[in-house]
Amino acid sequence: MASPDHLFGLRNSFYIGAYHAAITSSQSVPAHALLSPDDLLDRDAILYRSYIAIGSHQLVIGEIGPSAATPLQAIKLLALYLSGDAGNRESAVSRLRELLSDAATGSNPILRLMAGTIFMHERDYAEALKHTHSGGNMELLALNVQIYLQMHRADHAEKQLRVMQKLDEDHTLTQLANAWVDLVMGGCKIQEAYLIFQDLSEKYPTTCTILNGKALCSMHMGNFEDAEGLLLESLNKDAKDAETLANLTVCSLNLGKPATRYLNQLKLACPEHTLVKRMSSADDSFDRACQAMA
Amino acid sequence: MAMHSLADNPAPASNGHEALPPNDTAPTLVTPIDLLPSSSAYSSLPLPPDPPPPPRRSSPRPGLEGLGLRRRGGWGRQAARMLTKFETKSNRVKGLSFHPRRPWILASLHSGVIQMWDYRMGTLLDRFDEHDGPVRGVHFHATQPLFVSGGDDYKIKVWNYKTHRCLFTLHGHLDYIRTVQFHHEYPWIVSASDDQTIRIWNWQSRTCVAVLTGHNHYVMCASFHPKEDLVVSASLDQTVRVWDIGALRKKTVSPADDILRLTQMNTDLFGGVDAVVKYVLEGHDRGVNWASFHPSLPLIVSGADDRQVKLWRMNDTKAWEVDTLRGHMNNVSCVMFHAKQDIIVSNSEDKSIRIWDATKRTGIQTFRREHDRFWILAAHPEMNLLAAGHDSGMIVFKLERERPAFCVSGDTVFYVKDRFLRFYEYSTQKEVQVAPIRRPGSVSLNQSPRTLSYSPTENAVLICSDADGGSYELYIVPKDSAGRSDYLQEAKKGAGGSAVFVARNRFAVLEKSSNQVLVRNLKNEIVKKSPLPIATDAIYYAGTGNLLCKAEDRVAIFDLQQRLVLGELQTPAVKYVVWSTDMESVALLSKHAVVIASKKLVHRCTLHETIRVKSGAWDENGVFIYTTLNHMKYCLPNGDSGIIKTLDVPIYITRVVGNNIFCLDRDGKNKLIAVDASEYIFKLALLRKRYDHVMSMIKNSQLCGQAVISYLQQKGFPEVALHFVKDEKTRFNLALESGNIQIAVASAKEIDDKDHWYRLGIEALRQGNVGIVEYAYQRTKNFERLAFLYLITGYLDKVGFMCKIAGQNNNLMGQFHNALYLGDAKKRVEILENAGQLPLAYVTAVTHGLTEIAARIAAELGENVPALPEGKSHSLLIPPAPLTACGDWPLLRVMRGIFEGGLDATGRAELEEDDEAAGADWGDEDLDIVDASEVVENGGDGFVDVEEGEPNEEDGEEGGWDLEDLELPPETETPKASGNARSAVFVAPTPGIPVSQIWTQRSSLAGEHAAAGNFDTAMRLLSRQLGIKNFAPLKPLFLDLHMGSHTYLRALAAAPVISVAVEKGWSESASPNVRGPPALVFSFSQLEDRLKAAYKATTEGKFPEALRQFQSILHTIPIIVVDSRREVDEVKELIEIVREYVLGLKMELKRKELKDDVTRQQELAAYFTNCKLQRVHMRLVLASAMALCFKQRNYATAAHFARMLLENSPQEAQARKARQVMQACQDKEDSHQLNYDFRNPFVVCGATYVPIYRGQKGDVSCPYCGSRFVPSIEGQLCTICELATVGADASGLLCSPTQLR
């Protein structure tokens, strides 16, 4: 605990969504810091996950060879899962199950993290939790928080958050998870979420993630004008950021402004985004309901 | 004021420490104590204890004093530290007096010398050495440049310190003089003497005006009451006496001759009536050494050889002893009340100063010195300063720190004043008292708050003080409590050297003993502990999550989360830390230095001050403004500094806004000082290369002065300085320095002396400005140079001209030179001839083949024709002909350089990543992975091996080692396996209910269902409530509602986003996890806006557009949700309004389609007038119907419309037209029969556009919009709203939750 964490900056960049910064800084971990093999593996894991986060799935798939360590293999599976069609997904999931069933590797935290993430995408929350519920590191706990939130079980999410707070209340992930929970809980908690994002933006370089967080809080507090400003700032940083586009769509709608352009941009940039999917399914359900009424 | 006369004092004032008066005798060495080694070589000669009264006479006399040097005393270890401001080392100090305004103090010594010190600068200003023997009393006059002294030579001397002269001496006392004091108002001096008398003198008439007799032993002290006509005295006769001098005052006030007074005095002597004893205070068992009045209350305090301090009280008729303070171990030498605090200060020959609580009469504090007995105390009349004289010098000190604890946050500064937390708003300049803070439990000194830290978001204040050995208190101020002073909050407390907020809701507390910080939350619970990297004695804020740790000789910024030192810097002991608003720069203030560093503690500059640095703040331009004890100064980013103004009293800067400096003074008052910032702003602009600013400042402000010019010259901006200078010589020099030749020429013309022209020539030549070089040479008449210049620039004709001039001036040599330059051999021969150098002329002529001339000269020479050397070919010195005669050479662009590129300072590329090193890391990593997998493989293999090998035979020791190695993997796996096992037991909780589902469960409002994405229920609701059947127009609205109801939160990277439901009506006090209704993207107010737009389109006659707008309103209303009943009514009203317009517009459009059927056209126009429209539209409709009918000669109907139009307050043009129509139609019949009877009220069928007259049975209506239809339309889709089925059953519009209650 007392020894400085050389990967701190790297991890932190990754958590707050500064993926490019994470990628560049992974190349320049201080020279004096003699990284242990574990650290090196961690570093690579974050590097590849950053690439996934910015959508460079193919790069990750290409770079992680068959001989790479299990955690990296797991990351590759995630890239594969996110990049491809249904077939790819299936094979990724089945390969993942294989890895998980292997007693020697099945408990690796990164593997479990990836499993949780993939099963979350599969909407199989029970399966996801099966691998992540025991925690083990901050990220797994944070993922638990997210899964519970996704399951609309804010009560469980709060419990996980409390575990995180006990471990390290000031950890960036704890702060973020706290903000997530606050945001979902709503009410007066939204202000606290806003303050957390505000703190983060003061402490670290602003990222789309943080700006989106702030904008979300503003929107939920009914302040769509402010939110629009924040989202436009975020769009300035990354014109293709899916969440920014999605939230801008929502925000514009609420302001009574045309939102189709953002929606179309989103459809182009990220056809798999929840908002896009939700809209197409809403479209279908409308038509179905219409028919039922007829 | 008196500084001038003192300026030539030889005492060195430079370093603020040392001051050695010249010609001083060895014993009165004046050296600051802290410069001497503690074991200095003074011989220790113990003094006999002070003898009782009679032997007192034989106590050290002047001669003995010289031997009385002893080891330097130091403060006892156990004694609390005192706030020493200044210390001197000298002979025994017997008398002290503060100057009322200047930072000066007089010290009268046992050696007979009176010293005047500047205790702020720490310098000896002057010394007065005319007394013979010890000087025991000394006192400054309150207003005049005077002081009085009294000594063992029986003399009272009055001095003018400005002129450094003793003005006169008052004779009269017959023994040692103990104390002297000026009256604060009258020209009196009171003196106490061993001759058992007290005398009052008039120093203007230089006479004794009263002799107070009654004491029957030495009078040790006497002093005037600060306000009343009283004198208090103390004597070795064991009494304190209070004297009434009212009669004396009356006499003085009444005009009386001093000479007369003198005679009177003589008669009064030893029995005078001017001053009578009022009270004799008896109670001390031994001689009393000191007595003094309370500044405002009728109290007296006295100290005596019985080691006691006594407190006395008096009223008009009597005086009595109140209490006795015991504690001193030896004779009490001096005692007084503190002017501002409720305390008594006494000192004693027991080598201590004691502080007593005047109310509780208990000792508070003892300051002890090891070897020095104390003799005298003095209090500053205005300031919170005390001085004490002892055996080997004196000290100036104070008891309480005076710096108010404060913290600047945004537009406010929080500070503590009089036990109240207050804040001051800069923009409004308003002070607000926030809350009272705790009084310290124990009465002790310096328990007041030292530092204050504020967290704006939580409105929390952290106050640190020295109470209880260092402690903090945390106050969380409710936002609305400002101004409620009665509100006392229970503070959360804790022990710790210093405490400071490190984040919104976290503060760090220094635990010195273990050198770690405890991070606490607002509940005062420990969240984290972290050891500190350096031995820290104070911590300061350094950005969120970071601490600036201060050690004895360095500071470091420590990241609490990473536990990393982000930066470290060697500094003198830092006292205060001031961050710039952008947190990019920090100023570290120590006692005598200001260090400026970056946020990573990269050193930028250090300024050293000779006197104490007090405070500072950053201005918005990055200039650091700071104060010392007596100056306000600036420091530019490059370390240049200067004085802004002089200060009379110390102030603490809190904030700088432009020219305005906000500060707190020692009384905790906020002040605004306006300063002239132009000098440092100017210098900053220069430094930042903002030459546009520089120029505009030069043009607009009065920035003159030698200082600025020399600054500019020094900093390499002579051309900027040029703009200030009027003096031509300076201007010329600056112009040369900056290479501005034009200005130099102009100046040179003004000055017009040879030297300047010469220097101009040199510079012009350097620049290649030939014209000016020529001009300069011409002005200096430097013909040789000029000619040479012409030669090399190719102006041969001018060389010829020069040649002529030289000839005129009889300058043969010059002429010859020029001829040589020209290559004109004839000329040279001629010149030589004229000069009488015939042989030379001959040789030249011959050599150049000028045979004729040579022959002529040869003839003149006769026999003396020189012989030319034979057999040598000659080369002639003919200068080459210039190719071209040119003007100036290409000039250096000197002037531009400095004003160009002023704006290049922005964004330089960030540091490149070290690719190579990273590559190496990559390599390492790859290897490691391979290694690891190899190990695993080997391990696996080995495992098999061993299993096989074991039954066979043992491999020996190494095999045994292998075995142990190989058993490890399963062991480490065990816990993981158990982890897996746990996971098998784990049952994931069932998913909860999405917020959208909650919405639909609770609501019967279609809009909310649609937002939740439950389109089928939404539709069912609409069908039931409004009979809506056709949902197609609602599709985009439903989708928008649904889309706008959730936001998207990206949590962990690559994991699915969380969609968060947006709820309506958020408020700060809303409790979490209580779901509100969804926020809908369509609002009633939007519809009102749309209605306005539709009206506008109608007015403009854009009917299709208007229709579209109205219909969209009609389509949106079913999914609108409003909050109140009133709004529900408004919505219903809106439906009606819109319905009428839709109907009307539809008919109008229909009418336009009909080209042929004029009757139907008129009917439709007529029906349109039946719609309820806005008046403006009604007029238009009526006008159009009127025109149409008139044209078709349906005069009666037209007249009807005209009448209606007139009723609708038409514009003048419309009205005129209507009146004309009325007139034209009078009594005329309709030519066509219209299905329009305006007398009979009717509605128009929305589908067939036929009137349904009142009373007509069987009409049907739309359940939603309420449009009416003829019965045949029943069951069809309403043509007006296009949503509902005409005649369908419906429960009615439901658009507000209030309708359900």
Side-chain angles (χ1 to χ4, degrees), chain A residues 8 27-28 40 44 47 107 121 146 151 153 169-170 184-185 187-188 191 199 220 243 247 274 278 287, chain B residues 504 506 561-562 913 918 922 925 976 989-990 992 1035 1046-1048 1050 1054 1056-1057 1061 1066 1070 1073 1075:
Chain A
F8 176 87
Q27 315 288 312
S28 63
L40 285 169
D44 283 3
L47 174 74
S107 55
H121 278 287
Q146 195 178 350
M151 292 170 72
R153 291 302 298 258
E169 192 163 358
D170 292 328
V184 172
M185 301 262 276
C188 58
Q191 258 178 325
D199 282 354
H220 286 263
E243 273 66 51
N247 286 321
T274 315
R278 175 184 283 224
D287 293 345
Chain B
R504 171 171 60 86
R506 295 277 182 282
Q561 200 171 3
Q562 299 188 51
E913 301 292 349
W922 275 107
E925 175 102 351
K976 289 177 191 166
T990 50
K1035 185 170 180 179
H1046 284 78
T1047 55
Y1048 299 91
R1050 175 167 51 201
V1057 291
W1066 180 84
N1073 245 339
R1075 302 328 326 191

Side-chain angles (χ1 to χ4, degrees), chain B residues 72 74 176 204-205 304 312 510 630 741 872 888 981 1201 1203:
Chain B
R72 181 177 72 94
Y176 295 178
Q204 282 176 341
S205 60
W312 315 80
L510 175 65
N630 57 356
I741 205 84
K872 285 195 178 167
D888 293 346
F1201 290 138
R1203 210 174 303 122

Side-chain angles (χ1 to χ4, degrees), chain B residues 947-973:
Chain B
E947 274 192 320
E948 284 174 0
E950 229 174 348
N952 294 339
E953 57 176 10
E954 288 195 1
D955 281 330
E957 264 185 272
E958 285 195 14
W961 278 107
D962 278 346
L963 188 71
E964 210 160 273
D965 264 345
L966 296 166
E967 270 174 355
L968 275 169
E971 261 178 18
T972 48
E973 258 174 32

Side-chain angles (χ1 to χ4, degrees), chain B residues 1044-1273:
Chain B
S1045 67
H1046 284 78
T1047 55
Y1048 299 91
L1049 171 67
R1050 175 167 51 201
L1052 284 178
V1057 291
I1058 303 172
S1059 48
V1060 191
V1062 190
E1063 287 154 342
K1064 187 166 148 179
W1066 180 84
S1067 79
E1068 247 177 74
S1069 50
S1071 45
N1073 245 339
V1074 174
R1075 302 328 326 191
L1080 303 183
V1081 301
F1082 301 110
S1083 68
F1084 187 50
S1085 61
Q1086 273 174 18
L1087 293 186
E1088 283 174 334
D1089 291 344
R1090 224 182 285 173
L1091 181 68
K1092 274 178 208 145
Y1095 279 157
K1096 191 160 171 260
T1098 314
T1099 313
E1100 288 165 356
K1102 297 173 182 160
F1103 297 132
E1105 162 74 11
L1107 181 62
R1108 208 175 50 71
Q1109 298 262 25
F1110 281 119
Q1111 277 189 318
S1112 85
I1113 296 173
L1114 222 40
H1115 292 163
T1116 313
I1117 287 175
I1119 49 169
I1120 279 290
V1121 173
V1122 293
D1123 297 327
S1124 66
R1125 286 279 192 167
R1126 195 178 49 78
E1127 282 178 302
V1128 172
D1129 293 339
E1130 285 175 19
V1131 171
K1132 287 182 174 164
E1133 207 177 304
L1134 182 65
I1135 297 176
E1136 279 171 38
I1137 295 169
V1138 174
R1139 178 190 69 205
E1140 294 293 318
Y1141 270 88
V1142 171
L1143 174 64
L1145 288 169
K1146 282 203 156 189
M1147 288 191 294
E1148 182 68 9
L1149 289 171
K1150 178 85 177 165
R1151 183 175 72 83
K1152 297 222 158 121
E1153 282 170 28
L1154 297 168
K1155 289 280 183 269
D1156 311 324
D1157 187 350
V1158 284
T1159 310
R1160 182 63 177 154
Q1161 274 194 25
Q1162 289 177 62
E1163 279 173 2
L1164 287 175
Y1167 301 153
F1168 197 178
T1169 66
N1170 197 49
C1171 295
K1172 292 180 202 95
L1173 303 177
Q1174 295 281 303
R1175 207 161 228 193
V1176 53
H1177 300 138
M1178 189 52 110
R1179 285 197 294 266
L1180 291 168
V1181 170
L1182 284 168
S1184 120
M1186 175 183 80
L1188 194 66
C1189 291
F1190 187 74
K1191 248 183 247 165
Q1192 299 302 328
R1193 296 190 297 281
N1194 264 4
Y1195 296 119
T1197 317
H1200 162 68
F1201 290 138
R1203 210 174 303 122
M1204 279 179 67
L1205 183 55
L1206 286 170
E1207 281 164 16
N1208 271 294
S1209 51
Q1211 287 165 345
E1212 192 41 48
Q1214 278 178 328
R1216 209 181 314 123
K1217 210 169 178 185
R1219 273 184 229 110
Q1220 284 169 355
V1221 170
M1222 292 255 296
Q1223 212 160 12
C1225 300
Q1226 230 164 13
D1227 303 331
K1228 285 184 186 165
E1229 290 290 308
D1230 281 354
S1231 57
H1232 307 272
Q1233 183 60 42
L1234 299 183
N1235 181 9
Y1236 174 61
D1237 181 358
F1238 57 82
R1239 287 175 197 86
N1240 199 353
F1242 65 91
V1243 290
V1244 181
C1245 169
T1248 57
Y1249 312 135
V1250 295
I1252 305 169
Y1253 290 100
R1254 189 176 288 174
Q1256 205 172 325
K1257 289 276 181 234
D1259 68 312
V1260 285
S1261 60
C1262 169
Y1264 165 45
C1265 66
S1267 302
R1268 306 280 279 277
F1269 297 91
V1270 293
S1272 62
I1273 301 299

Side-chain angles (χ1 to χ4, degrees), chain B residues 11-266:
Chain B
S14 58
N15 64 1
H17 282 289
E18 198 170 15
L20 193 68
N23 309 325
D24 211 347
T25 48
T28 53
L29 254 186
V30 188
T31 315
I33 268 177
D34 52 359
L35 288 184
L36 284 173
S38 59
S39 57
S40 62
Y42 293 124
S43 63
S44 179
L45 187 83
L47 272 178
D50 251 36
R56 184 181 279 262
R57 292 308 302 257
S58 63
S59 73
R61 304 293 297 203
L64 294 172
E65 176 66 11
L67 298 169
L69 288 167
R70 70 217 59 162
R71 193 176 298 277
R72 181 177 72 94
W75 296 109
R77 234 170 244 147
Q78 69 275 48
R81 276 187 58 196
M82 114 197 298
L83 299 168
T84 309
K85 298 281 130 184
F86 176 59
E87 239 177 297
T88 65
K89 173 81 187 156
S90 70
N91 216 302
R92 182 179 303 174
V93 174
K94 298 295 275 186
L96 285 170
S97 174
F98 278 105
H99 193 279
R101 286 173 310 280
R102 307 302 301 259
W104 299 340
I105 188 167
L106 285 170
S108 64
L109 309 186
H110 207 280
S111 62
V113 174
I114 301 166
Q115 297 174 327
M116 188 158 91
W117 294 91
D118 182 325
Y119 53 82
R120 205 153 73 173
M121 303 294 286
T123 50
L124 180 67
L125 296 171
D126 210 342
R127 52 197 299 284
F128 304 89
D129 191 7
E130 286 180 29
H131 275 291
D132 183 18
V135 185
R136 298 178 191 272
V138 69
H139 192 233
F140 266 119
H141 194 275
T143 50
Q144 308 275 335
L146 301 176
F147 72 87
V148 59
S149 63
D152 284 6
D153 51 4
Y154 313 169
K155 289 173 188 163
I156 295 171
K157 283 173 177 285
V158 175
W159 309 75
N160 183 323
Y161 56 76
K162 269 192 175 174
T163 55
H164 185 68
R165 272 183 50 221
C166 170
L167 297 177
F168 53 86
T169 306
L170 299 168
H171 297 276
H173 276 301
L174 307 168
D175 207 334
Y176 295 178
I177 294 163
R178 293 285 176 172
T179 66
V180 285
Q181 187 203 12
F182 278 114
H183 194 272
H184 52 98
E185 196 175 343
Y186 297 110
W188 293 343
I189 292 164
V190 64
S191 58
S193 165
D194 283 6
D195 67 7
Q196 307 187 2
T197 68
I198 300 153
R199 284 171 199 242
I200 298 177
W201 311 77
N202 184 321
W203 56 265
Q204 282 176 341
S205 60
R206 304 180 188 181
T207 53
C208 176
V209 292
V211 180
L212 281 57
T213 55
H215 279 300
N216 46 33
H217 210 304
Y218 305 164
V219 187
M220 299 303 287
C221 94
S223 59
F224 289 116
H225 192 279
K227 291 186 190 78
E228 291 164 49
D229 296 325
L230 296 176
V231 168
V232 67
S233 62
S235 164
L236 294 189
D237 66 5
Q238 306 183 5
T239 66
V240 172
R241 283 171 198 242
V242 179
W243 310 78
D244 188 342
I245 53 165
L248 184 66
R249 186 177 64 89
K250 281 185 196 107
K251 207 185 275 178
T252 311
V253 172
S254 59
D257 192 3
D258 271 329
I259 307 297
L260 204 116
R261 175 79 51 75
L262 187 64
T263 53
Q264 204 174 18
M265 187 269 291
N266 285 334

Side-chain angles (χ1 to χ4, degrees), chain B residues 17 32 63 68 75 82 102 126 279 486 508 559 576 585 588 655 747 849 1053 1161:
Chain B
H17 282 289
W75 296 109
M82 114 197 298
R102 307 302 301 259
D126 210 342
Y279 311 118
D486 55 321
D559 184 322
Y576 310 109
S585 311
L588 308 164
R655 185 179 158 104
S747 292
Q1161 274 194 25

